Amino acid sequence: MIPRVDMEVNELLKERIEIEKVKPSRTYKMDIERERIWGHCDGIEALKQAIYKELNTEKGEYVIYGDYGLKKKDLFGKEKRWAYMILTDRIRDALIDDDRINDVHSFLYIDEMSKKDNLCLSFVVDSIYGEFEMSEVIRLA
């Protein structure tokens, strides 16, 4: 026998169900210098790690990641000033999808740290944990 649910009760159930897409914060901690996973991290440290992973994954390169990552390969060999302008938009677009991030702003080109084939830039992330600065080195060759 199949249980029968009154249509009115069914409609009430539908109204009260809210689905939220919240990315988890607690995750395994990456020790990048030693190239290993060690312990766990949460909050702002987990967010910084998620930003690092997103910016260091080539968008469209790995089928399993779908729309995740930052497209950089098409900037190889391009002039730094042009690549900087393109990257600021791409970084903002890539990171703003994370519900923990409110805004990405104050991009700055760091000339003294940029080597011949690298572009170094910094930016400020306004998150639910507060504002913090990040920097990234992008290889252009």
Side-chain angles (χ1 to χ4, degrees):
M1 179 177 197
I2 299 173
R4 209 171 150 185
V5 179
D6 187 1
M7 290 301 285
E8 189 175 312
V9 172
N10 197 19
E11 290 301 316
L12 286 173
L13 287 173
K14 283 182 183 177
E15 288 178 19
R16 295 186 182 175
I17 296 175
E18 292 180 21
I19 299 173
E20 290 186 29
K21 289 185 178 181
V22 178
K23 293 188 180 183
S25 185
R26 182 170 162 80
T27 187
Y28 293 102
K29 184 173 177 71
M30 292 176 15
D31 185 347
I32 296 163
E33 286 144 13
R34 293 184 183 150
E35 297 181 348
R36 66 180 185 169
I37 304 295
W38 189 260
H40 294 89
C41 62
D42 200 3
I44 196 166
E45 286 304 313
L47 180 57
K48 287 179 180 180
Q49 181 174 287
I51 291 170
Y52 172 84
K53 289 177 5 182
E54 178 124 18
L55 297 183
N56 286 285
T57 301
E58 182 68 29
K59 187 174 187 174
E61 187 74 16
Y62 308 99
V63 177
I64 192 169
Y65 288 130
D67 200 32
Y68 181 83
L70 180 67
K71 187 175 179 182
K72 299 176 283 194
K73 276 189 174 181
D74 64 332
L75 299 176
F76 287 5
K78 304 294 185 200
E79 185 181 339
K80 286 185 181 183
R81 287 181 292 179
W82 186 81
Y84 171 77
M85 292 181 347
I86 298 298
L87 280 170
T88 56
D89 289 337
R90 287 183 184 176
I91 290 171
R92 183 179 295 111
D93 291 344
L95 298 181
I96 205 72
D97 284 342
D98 192 320
D99 60 340
R100 298 170 289 182
I101 296 175
N102 300 322
D103 193 18
V104 182
H105 58 88
S106 302
F107 285 88
L108 180 65
Y109 170 69
I110 307 172
D111 190 38
E112 63 273 4
M113 291 182 67
S114 296
K115 296 180 182 172
K116 180 182 177 187
D117 296 330
N118 292 338
L119 173 70
C120 187
L121 54 93
S122 69
F123 50 92
V124 175
V125 176
D126 177 16
S127 74
I128 61 173
Y129 308 111
E131 285 193 350
F132 58 91
E133 188 173 323
M134 295 278 301
S135 61
E136 188 64 30
V137 177
I138 309 290
R139 228 183 71 226
L140 295 177

